[in-house]
Amino acid sequence: MEPVNGSWTSFGGDLHLDLTERRAAGTGLRAALEDALREAVQAGRLAPGTRLPSSRALGEDLGIARNTVVEAYGQLTAEGWLSSRQGSGTTVARRAAPSPAVRPARPQARRRTVRHDLMSGRPDLSLFPRTAWLAAARRALATAPHEALGYGGPLGRIELREALTHYLARVRGVRTDPDHLLVCNGVQQGLGLLCAALRERGARSLAVEEYGLPPQHAVVRAAGLTTAPLPLDCEGAQVEHLGPRNGAVLLTPAHQYPTGAPLSADRRAAAVRWAREQDRYVIEDDYDGEFRYDRQPLGAMQALDPERVVYAGTAAKSLAPGLRLAWLALPDALVEPVARLKVLADTMSPVLDQLTLAELITSGTYDRHVRRCRLHYRRRRDHLVAALAEHAPHVRVTGIAAGLHAVLQLPPGSTPEPELLARAEAAGLALSGLGWHRAAPADEAAAPALVIGYATPPEHAFPAALDALCDLLRRA
Amino acid sequence: MEPVNGSWTSFGGDLHLDLTERRAAGTGLRAALEDALREAVQAGRLAPGTRLPSSRALGEDLGIARNTVVEAYGQLTAEGWLSSRQGSGTTVARRAAPSPAVRPARPQARRRTVRHDLMSGRPDLSLFPRTAWLAAARRALATAPHEALGYGGPLGRIELREALTHYLARVRGVRTDPDHLLVCNGVQQGLGLLCAALRERGARSLAVEEYGLPPQHAVVRAAGLTTAPLPLDCEGAQVEHLGPRNGAVLLTPAHQYPTGAPLSADRRAAAVRWAREQDRYVIEDDYDGEFRYDRQPLGAMQALDPERVVYAGTAAKSLAPGLRLAWLALPDALVEPVARLKVLADTMSPVLDQLTLAELITSGTYDRHVRRCRLHYRRRRDHLVAALAEHAPHVRVTGIAAGLHAVLQLPPGSTPEPELLARAEAAGLALSGLGWHRAAPADEAAAPALVIGYATPPEHAFPAALDALCDLLRRA
């Protein structure tokens, strides 16, 4: 944009002052301005330290003589509301009222003190590649056309959908294309949109794994579907229980969340067969598919039938949950309804992070980052396993071939889970019990088990967290 | 993170290959690997040009000897699927199959050719301050704690809510605090959350202005509320028609969208009185509150009663719609229900843009940018008015004291609106008719009127767009 003449370059900021009412009540111009400014400072609308517009700029804004503003500023400075210093303009005095107190602050939920964070479902946020991300953002913004910043289609930016098409094919074996990918704000939103679309098609019940993520179950129910739990065993969810009543099934085939078993090949085939025969859908939540350590990589189940399996992936584990970047690879029949619901929800997902992630993927930086994280987390897992073998050999560690968490199963007769969790909380140790993950209340009390997110703490805090955990388990 | 030894530094990317099934069928290891790689290239899962992992890295990943990988790569290079060059590793050959074609591409909606874009509701995207945005992002990321990248509360990042509290108080007279601000993905999402919360409280009908934004009306209806249109006149919406049936009213008090009148002081007071007496809410959509040109700035109506008026603001006009950054200043009673619905919708809004906007505001850059845009758009508006006065003096231009659009009213007996719109489309001129904005069908055909977004085209394209518009109107 060409430079404009006028006062804006010398202007510290915008200021809303309404003189109309005061003028209508017969107050003179300068007095009205003084009143309005004084009231704004007193009420805290203008915070201490705020720089006021220059007298010239404010005069132009209000359509009054500059001198009137100078006089009003002078009066309020004399009264102590404003402070004026050569060269730095006029600011609101520091002794003036603090931030706007419209009403008492809302009571905050009591936060227990967390000294060791082993909550599952979170990556080590200190690994977020800040420098690489900014560099990718710069490259992305340098080449993005202006229209990329405007309103676009509900599927998301084409740059990211193209990058994901190739990346997901290569790394997870997903079979899709940019016309069938939808970028959403976290899997949470994607699941909500899917459930709403399924309900429109007549679904009333979604089968879920017996153990899972309660916030996901809440999203399903908010969309008007009931959750029907499927029992789990060492081959994953017992999909033979799927029936005509279920409108779809939500599975974590690569690494059951949280118990850790992969869904067996037979069960994968059976679930797809059920979906075909009953005209139903499988939702594959591939929440940590990029993190596998010992066994052969398990490809996405979606490849078995892209018209029956919805693939849901995310950057929450590989980069950061705060990005809220996730994607759905949709069957053709679901593209229109899900995209329509996305428009109603929020038009489309924010574009800058999409452009940046696309650049990160196509430049190869994302692959290198994931690989680095994988080695990092594998080391963490090995430490966890070794420490438990030494200090708490009675604990069985499961679900560790992949992912960022482990399930620790205590022998029957150990301290009951609620008591164990209370002790953990008292020790400042944040973790969750397996019981919290149940999709429905259990018939009988199970043996206690803990879900441990070993990726969560930053590197320097991991050893102490591990010590605290071992200490808890030794006495369990 | 400390450097790790291992193969990742030499690794070009991740690759999913499933050898299990082939091995189970009796195929030898090298042949299984060749088959899997060949299939991945043939099916397009590995795009031409993709760099393969080094033989060492892939061998380690698959737990097989490096030599087996070397031999398989050699065989496939001989067959022409891969290409191998000294120093640049092994890549998928360019002549191999192109991108994954799971199914034929979806038919695209026919896009008419737009030569001149005067659609309203959009800023000039070429004004987006890319350099300043990146600089603010860098500063924000340099200081953000790691936890800022994780899961946070549904209201949004505290940095942005604090910056907005002061900014909105100063510039728009809004009375709120960080505990009552919620960051959402565009006003579209905020409105949807509000309507859902109001419906939970028993609302069934939302009063809207007779002319407005049909996509907003769709959101209201999707939340289960009916839209009840209020007639408009030169003082804005006739709020005296509000009754006990309406659960809330959606207004654009600063600059009625699209007709342009500000809501009069009496009407503002009356709407708040109605809300208090009936225990109802006013939703104030302040979509372009920062852009005013001639008249005294009109403060936000929310200041009249922060417990009865929900203020909705956005960065869509001041920065870019693609950011999907908007905010609600909520009455105390609505914080819990709206925040709860936000969690169900998508947990929270993405954090990086929030941190960047907070930095942009607190550094004063945002104010300077808005002021620059305002001068830019005012010049545009003056050009529009001057051009119409010269070339189409029969057209009445209204709603131009503020905002980024104008309404052009043609005298009765002019070319009917649909015919005028068809002519515009034929001339490659994108604009909308006033009729499209109606919340309910009209009883009788109104005189034709056009809604012109004069901010939309980039600077270099504006004169030609103006010429095309004048040309259309001369013959109307």
Side-chain angles (χ1 to χ4, degrees):
Chain A
M1 189 171 65
E2 64 188 288
V4 290
N5 60 28
S7 55
W8 67 267
T9 43
S10 62
F11 190 79
D14 260 3
L15 181 63
H16 166 67
L17 291 172
D18 193 351
L19 309 184
T20 326
E21 235 172 77
R22 291 183 173 85
R23 293 285 284 144
T27 313
L29 194 53
R30 179 186 139 184
L33 177 58
E34 280 175 27
D35 274 3
L37 278 168
R38 196 184 292 110
E39 182 275 331
V41 175
Q42 280 175 328
R45 287 206 294 117
L46 283 167
T50 304
R51 187 156 171 243
L52 293 182
S54 71
S55 51
R56 180 201 306 275
L58 187 58
E60 279 177 12
D61 258 26
L62 298 174
I64 62 182
R66 180 183 174 183
N67 252 0
T68 310
V69 181
V70 171
E71 286 165 15
Y73 279 7
Q75 175 62 31
L76 292 170
T77 304
E79 291 175 16
W81 297 109
L82 302 182
S83 141
S84 189
R85 216 166 301 154
Q86 202 71 31
S88 67
T90 304
T91 56
V92 178
R94 293 280 168 190
R95 47 150 270 186
S99 74
V102 178
R103 47 219 146 178
R106 294 175 64 81
Q108 301 295 319
R110 191 178 64 88
R111 293 198 61 171
R112 59 179 186 187
T113 311
V114 172
R115 280 161 48 204
H116 311 291
D117 193 351
L118 293 174
M119 291 297 283
S120 66
R122 303 170 197 184
D124 177 353
L125 296 168
S126 74
L127 298 184
F128 184 78
R130 297 187 186 208
T131 309
W133 180 269
L134 279 169
R138 184 175 319 108
R139 292 195 304 272
L141 260 181
T143 54
H146 292 313
E147 56 88 16
L149 304 172
Y151 290 108
L155 297 184
R157 286 303 305 170
I158 183 66
E159 294 89 340
L160 179 56
R161 289 182 288 124
E162 282 178 347
L164 283 173
T165 297
H166 295 299
Y167 176 80
L168 295 174
R170 176 165 55 82
V171 173
R172 304 295 299 130
V174 171
R175 293 158 60 200
T176 189
D177 57 54
D179 291 341
H180 293 81
L181 277 168
L182 177 132
V183 181
C184 48
N185 306 333
V187 170
Q188 181 94 338
Q189 182 183 51
L191 180 62
L193 298 176
L194 275 173
C195 287
L198 293 170
R199 196 172 197 289
E200 282 183 357
R201 295 168 47 95
R204 291 296 175 267
S205 154
L206 180 78
V208 298
E209 295 163 327
E210 186 182 14
Y211 290 93
L213 212 48
Q216 283 195 344
H217 303 155
V219 169
V220 173
R221 292 190 200 108
L225 302 180
T226 59
T227 49
L230 291 176
L232 293 170
D233 60 26
C234 61
E235 289 188 52
Q238 296 175 15
V239 297
E240 59 269 31
H241 294 288
L242 288 171
R245 274 188 56 252
N246 305 121
V249 59
L250 172 63
L251 297 171
T252 49
H255 186 228
Q256 202 283 324
Y257 189 83
T259 63
L263 190 64
S264 71
D266 285 351
R267 296 255 173 97
R268 289 171 180 232
V272 168
R273 209 159 44 234
W274 164 81
R276 286 180 184 150
E277 284 167 5
Q278 305 279 347
D279 188 19
R280 298 292 193 258
Y281 292 98
V282 176
I283 304 171
E284 174 176 29
D285 182 2
D286 196 42
Y287 66 101
D288 65 3
E290 284 146 324
F291 296 100
R292 50 172 172 80
Y293 308 119
D294 304 323
R295 57 175 157 72
Q296 282 283 18
L298 280 171
M301 177 172 171
Q302 187 262 9
L304 293 180
D305 192 341
E307 298 306 337
R308 286 293 152 199
V309 183
V310 182
Y311 175 89
T314 175
K317 307 290 183 297
S318 56
L319 288 166
L323 292 178
R324 313 305 304 130
L325 261 175
W327 39 87
L328 303 177
L330 292 163
D332 201 64
L334 292 181
V335 171
E336 187 281 324
V338 173
R340 181 169 36 76
L341 290 163
K342 174 72 176 165
V343 169
L344 288 171
D346 56 9
T347 314
M348 62 184 194
S349 283
V351 298
L352 296 185
D353 291 346
Q354 291 187 63
L355 295 171
T356 303
L357 179 57
E359 170 63 29
L360 216 56
I361 293 174
T362 50
S363 67
T365 312
Y366 185 74
D367 271 273
R368 285 191 295 276
H369 171 71
V370 167
R371 191 165 180 85
R372 191 158 58 223
C373 293
R374 192 187 299 137
L375 294 173
H376 183 77
Y377 294 142
R378 180 161 61 185
R379 249 191 353 252
R380 288 267 182 103
R381 183 206 57 169
D382 294 346
H383 285 165
L384 172 72
V385 170
L388 292 175
E390 186 179 342
H391 300 293
H394 58 296
V395 171
R396 211 174 127 233
V397 190
T398 61
I400 53 174
L404 312 184
H405 71 276
V407 176
L408 311 191
Q409 299 188 311
L410 281 75
S414 306
T415 311
E417 207 172 290
E419 165 67 17
L420 204 56
L421 293 172
R423 281 191 210 166
E425 182 170 349
L429 190 56
L431 43 72
S432 60
L434 184 59
W436 180 77
H437 296 81
R438 280 197 70 89
D443 286 340
E444 47 191 305
L450 300 178
V451 181
I452 299 297
Y454 53 79
T456 307
E459 190 67 7
H460 67 89
F462 184 61
L466 207 48
D467 286 349
L469 177 66
C470 289
D471 200 48
L472 175 76
L473 292 172
R474 242 193 313 262
R475 297 176 293 117
Chain B
M1 190 171 63
E2 64 190 287
V4 289
N5 62 28
S7 57
W8 67 267
T9 44
S10 64
F11 189 80
D14 260 2
L15 180 62
H16 166 69
L17 291 173
D18 193 351
L19 309 184
T20 325
E21 236 172 76
R22 290 182 174 86
R23 293 286 285 146
T27 313
L29 194 54
R30 179 186 140 185
L33 178 59
E34 280 175 27
D35 273 4
L37 278 169
R38 197 184 291 109
E39 183 275 332
V41 176
Q42 281 176 326
R45 288 206 292 118
L46 283 168
T50 303
R51 189 158 169 238
L52 293 181
S54 71
S55 51
R56 181 201 305 275
L58 187 58
E60 278 177 13
D61 257 27
L62 298 174
I64 62 181
R66 180 182 174 182
N67 252 0
T68 310
V69 182
V70 171
E71 286 165 14
Y73 279 8
Q75 176 62 29
L76 293 170
T77 305
E79 290 176 16
W81 297 109
L82 302 182
S83 142
S84 188
R85 216 164 301 154
Q86 201 72 33
S88 68
T90 304
T91 56
V92 177
R94 294 280 169 191
R95 48 150 268 187
S99 74
V102 178
R103 47 217 147 180
R106 295 175 61 83
Q108 301 294 320
R110 190 178 65 89
R111 292 197 63 171
R112 60 179 187 189
T113 311
V114 172
R115 280 161 49 203
H116 310 291
D117 193 350
L118 293 174
M119 291 297 282
S120 65
R122 304 171 196 183
D124 176 353
L125 295 168
S126 74
L127 297 185
F128 183 78
R130 298 187 185 209
T131 308
W133 181 268
L134 280 169
R138 185 175 319 107
R139 290 195 305 272
L141 260 182
T143 53
H146 292 313
E147 56 88 15
L149 304 172
Y151 290 108
L155 297 184
R157 287 302 305 172
I158 183 67
E159 295 88 341
L160 180 56
R161 288 182 288 124
E162 281 179 347
L164 283 173
T165 297
H166 295 298
Y167 176 80
L168 295 174
R170 177 166 54 82
V171 173
R172 304 294 299 129
V174 171
R175 293 157 60 199
T176 189
D177 58 54
D179 291 341
H180 295 81
L181 277 168
L182 178 132
V183 180
C184 48
N185 307 332
V187 170
Q188 181 93 337
Q189 181 183 51
L191 181 61
L193 297 175
L194 275 173
C195 287
L198 293 171
R199 196 170 197 288
E200 283 182 357
R201 295 170 47 96
R204 291 296 174 268
S205 152
L206 180 78
V208 298
E209 294 162 329
E210 184 181 17
Y211 291 92
L213 212 48
Q216 283 195 343
H217 303 155
V219 168
V220 173
R221 292 189 200 110
L225 302 180
T226 59
T227 49
L230 291 175
L232 293 169
D233 60 25
C234 62
E235 289 187 51
Q238 296 174 16
V239 296
E240 60 269 30
H241 295 288
L242 288 170
R245 275 190 55 253
N246 305 121
V249 58
L250 172 63
L251 296 171
T252 48
H255 187 227
Q256 203 284 322
Y257 189 83
T259 62
L263 190 64
S264 71
D266 285 351
R267 295 256 174 98
R268 289 171 179 232
V272 168
R273 210 159 45 234
W274 164 81
R276 284 179 185 151
E277 284 166 5
Q278 305 277 346
D279 188 18
R280 298 293 194 257
Y281 291 99
V282 176
I283 304 171
E284 173 176 30
D285 182 2
D286 196 41
Y287 66 101
D288 66 1
E290 284 147 324
F291 296 100
R292 54 178 167 75
Y293 308 119
D294 304 325
R295 58 174 156 75
Q296 282 282 18
L298 280 172
M301 178 173 170
Q302 186 263 8
L304 292 180
D305 192 342
E307 298 307 336
R308 286 294 151 198
V309 183
V310 181
Y311 174 88
T314 175
K317 308 290 182 296
S318 56
L319 287 166
L323 293 178
R324 313 306 303 129
L325 261 175
W327 38 85
L328 303 177
L330 291 163
D332 200 64
L334 292 182
V335 171
E336 187 281 324
V338 173
R340 182 169 35 76
L341 291 163
K342 173 73 177 167
V343 169
L344 288 171
D346 56 9
T347 315
M348 62 184 195
S349 283
V351 298
L352 296 185
D353 291 346
Q354 291 187 62
L355 294 171
T356 304
L357 179 57
E359 170 62 30
L360 217 55
I361 292 174
T362 51
S363 66
T365 311
Y366 185 74
D367 272 272
R368 286 191 294 276
H369 171 71
V370 167
R371 193 166 178 84
R372 190 159 59 224
C373 292
R374 191 187 300 138
L375 293 174
H376 183 77
Y377 295 141
R378 180 163 61 186
R379 246 186 1 246
R380 288 267 182 101
R381 182 205 58 169
D382 293 346
H383 287 165
L384 171 73
V385 171
L388 292 175
E390 186 179 344
H391 301 292
H394 57 298
V395 171
R396 211 174 127 232
V397 190
T398 60
I400 52 173
L404 312 183
H405 71 275
V407 176
L408 312 191
Q409 299 188 310
L410 281 76
S414 306
T415 312
E417 207 172 290
E419 164 67 16
L420 204 57
L421 292 172
R423 281 192 209 166
E425 183 172 348
L429 190 56
L431 44 73
S432 60
L434 185 59
W436 181 78
H437 295 82
R438 281 197 69 90
D443 287 339
E444 48 191 304
L450 300 178
V451 181
I452 299 299
Y454 52 80
T456 308
E459 189 66 6
H460 67 88
F462 183 62
L466 206 48
D467 285 350
L469 177 66
C470 288
D471 200 47
L472 174 77
L473 291 171
R474 242 192 314 260
R475 297 175 293 118

